[in-house]
Amino acid sequence: MKEKLVLIGNGMAGVRTIEEILDRDPDRYQITIIGEEKYPNYNRIMLSNVLQKKMTVSEIITNPLEWYEENQIELINHDPAVHMDTTNKKITTQSGKEISYDKCILATGSRAFILPVDGAQLPGVVGFRTIDDTENMLEASQKYQKAVVIGGGLLGLEAAKGLLDQGMDVTVVHLEKWLMETQLDEKAGKMLQADLEKQGLKFLMEKATQKILGDNRVTGLAFSDGTTIETDMVVMSIGIRSETTLARTTTIEVNRGIVVDDFMKTNVPDVFAVGECAEHNGNVYGLVAPLFEQGKVLADVLTGKEAKPYQGSTTFTSLKVSGCDLYSAGNIRETEGINSIEAFDGINYTYKKIFVRENQVVGVVLYGDTSEGNRYYNILKKNESIEEYTPVSLLHMVGEEASADVSEWPDDEVICGCNGIDKGTIMTAINEKDLTSVADVTKHTKAGGSCGKCKSVIGDVLAYALGGEVVSAPTGICGCTDLTRDQIVTQIYAKKLTSSDEVYRELNFTNPEGCPKCRPAINFYLNVAWPKEHEDEKESRYVNERLYANIQNDGTFSVIPRMRGGKTNPQQLLLIAKVAEKYDVPMVKVTGSQRIGLYGVKKEDLPKIWEELDMKAAGAYAKAVRSVKTCVGANFCRFGTQDSMGLGIKLEQRYEFIDTPHKFKMGVSACPRSCVESGVKDFGIIGVENGFQIYIGGNGGTEVKEAVLLTTVETEQEVIDICGAMLQYYRETGIYAERTAPWIERIGFEVVKEVLLNPEKRQELLAALDQAVEGRRGNPWDEVVEDNKTRQELYTVGRA
Ligand SMILES: Cc1cc2nc3c(=O)[nH]c(=O)nc-3n(C[C@H](O)[C@H](O)[C@H](O)COP(=O)(O)OP(=O)(O)OC[C@H]3O[C@@H](n4cnc5c(N)ncnc54)[C@H](O)[C@@H]3O)c2cc1C
Ligand code: SF4
């Protein structure tokens, strides 16, 4: 007979503990979960997104009812435990069910603390803790105009922003001088307030609520200074209190929370506690990261594994409100022995403050730019000595630049703080399980599954692991939005959105920073829509495009210089040989597109090699027009009817370095023998006696597609013009990461043909293309070679 394990509380910490137990020993217990709410286990953190209407309730369900069935867990839901007999090991629920246990976990969480003032029980006064609370608030926002949120902490601000997004007039009332005073210092708190004011929130600071006004429903608030404010709704968000009602009816020791030891045991045998209801060493935690750590320890204990004692947690906070990037971790008060270093950038409106005790970072506050949050969190968590760091550069080692490039981060760098998942674990999962999307990574590792803030970094790790090829959804867009490519592009024009941030914000993307799938796509659409107004967002591009080189499976790079039409000369060959020898390049190979590639090049050698080669990039790393393959043609081959090499070189010269939704390959053969396989190119040309046949939409990749004959023309100029028109039409209508074959299938061959063969339309497209790429087609290698800052930032190996 299996032992009976009963979990009281179907919330985040308890159910995570059960998941950990099932991972370790799925057959060990007969499990029953008693829940008070009527929903299966859900991600409470995401209630803020539900309130901001960025997600639906069904999207935040973590474990649907099938999960309980699949794991043979009995779920007694919507029926709280009201009595616990620890002598006879029995629990009674509100409906009178009696459940016996061998082991019991209490994970009853917390309640929103309601200020004990007159009027607190009036209709219209709500907490923000559950799905029901959230739905009540959404309903009220449709009926009423004014809302007051009492409490300017994390939850209060997220609630206020949610109600503001629903069109309410929202005032936040806060007792302290600045917002989020436990996580932010005064400067950051005031920057946050200024940003939220810009978004439309109002604030009453240093106000103590004395009374809630109203007879049948809330109508206003009265403050201790004698002032009042009118409102139709009050959200109480001044803190939480551990839910310990049940435990208090027993001999279980309860202080602020249920008291547990380092193994999550209470003073009563076989009763354990985890989550916000538990008190460890005097601390009660209100964020998920510590609770999940507790869950792991308890799962080890309950499955007989050697458990490391729980020793408390370092917590961090970020806010899920677009346009307010903040990060806070550790101890952020300058008490005795703790000093700080700070920097404010008034131009970019960013602020950093690092708190140091002896030789260790003990806390950090970042506002405006949180990209270094992980880095500081890791220094903090590992208790790294900072003796080697210079304070002036705000804690970078001498000569070191902070790297935003995940390829350089060590394997033990924590990526998902909530779930404590590091880069090494994510890389291993991607490689071993062939994962190709952020959702896959979350499913297999849990990284990104809680507050979701790390999803973009997970995407970067994914892109790094896959060399840039994160698989796109069929519509070209991702889980951040339901909108299709066409809907997004239409809105980009209609609302004149000229930056990615605007797109994420105005189109309500669930992830305010986008994800690896949508970031490059949005950047591309904006480049096409607003070639003059939109500055290319390099950081949104895949690593290969950011570095102008293809990353190889061992982390080195390939260098493929341009040889237009596949034509080279002895001087170039000698130079390539010299560089390959000098930099000890492990392999030199002729590529599939008739170029010479240097493989196995170290990142830091790239700019030096480019400089010494003095050739252009072939663009083999990019979603762009690729080099043109040509046969030797009429000048040398006895079958040739046209100068294929000459035409190929002209095409390449005219259109090189132009971005397209996916790579765009061309081939020019001088007779129907088609030695360069023109029939499987995106744009393939076959020379014939009286001119040139043009084929489009071929693909020789994983899904081989034969190109279709578009037309036959007499002159090279016509070939070049039709090519340019097709490029622009593909750019204007293609889904990012869609090759020309599916594009033509989607748009319709006849439509494409009609457009490209209509002389007026063709000229319009050509003019649009020329305008779009004007000034944007320099050799990217030169930019790097000539720009010391970029060389330093992108090509210096900072951290091993
Ligand atoms: C809007 C919002 C945003 C948040 N944002 C973040 C964030 O960004 N980052 C972060 O780390 N944390 C965040 N949190 C906090 C996080 O959600 C909590 O730390 C976490 O949910 C606590 O898990 P728990 O299991 O201890 O409690 P809960 O998740 O609250 O689960 C406890 C469950 O026990 C049930 N229960 C209580 N008594 C009984 C009983 N007698 N019988 C049966 N069931 C009972 C409750 O109804 C509840 O369902 C947020 C919370 C909210 C509300
Ligand atoms: S395609 Fe024709 S012209 Fe070109 S190399 Fe082959 S046989 Fe000769």
Side-chain angles (χ1 to χ4, degrees), residues 496-505 522 526 530 534 537:
K496 198 149 200 308
L497 308 176
T498 54
S499 74
S500 295
D501 283 345
E502 273 180 6
V503 173
Y504 305 140
R505 193 173 59 243
I522 301 297
L526 289 166
W530 312 115
H534 177 246
E537 296 164 27

Side-chain angles (χ1 to χ4, degrees), residues 758-777:
N758 174 330
E760 263 172 40
K761 190 73 199 155
R762 194 189 307 166
Q763 282 316 313
E764 266 173 37
L765 285 165
L766 273 174
L769 180 68
D770 284 340
Q771 210 198 355
V773 301
E774 195 194 330
R776 281 193 177 220
R777 285 208 302 134

Side-chain angles (χ1 to χ4, degrees), residues 630-642 644 668-678 685-687:
T630 64
C631 76
V632 289
N635 292 339
F636 292 91
C637 177
R638 61 202 165 99
F639 299 111
T641 56
Q642 302 288 349
S644 49
V668 189
S669 305
C671 88
R673 285 170 184 76
S674 192
C675 288
V676 297
E677 294 132 7
S678 302
I685 296 130
I686 292 184

Side-chain angles (χ1 to χ4, degrees), residues 121-136:
Q121 304 310 323
L122 279 172
V125 180
V126 292
F128 183 25
R129 181 76 195 174
T130 63
I131 290 181
D132 288 345
D133 292 340
T134 313
E135 289 190 332
N136 286 344

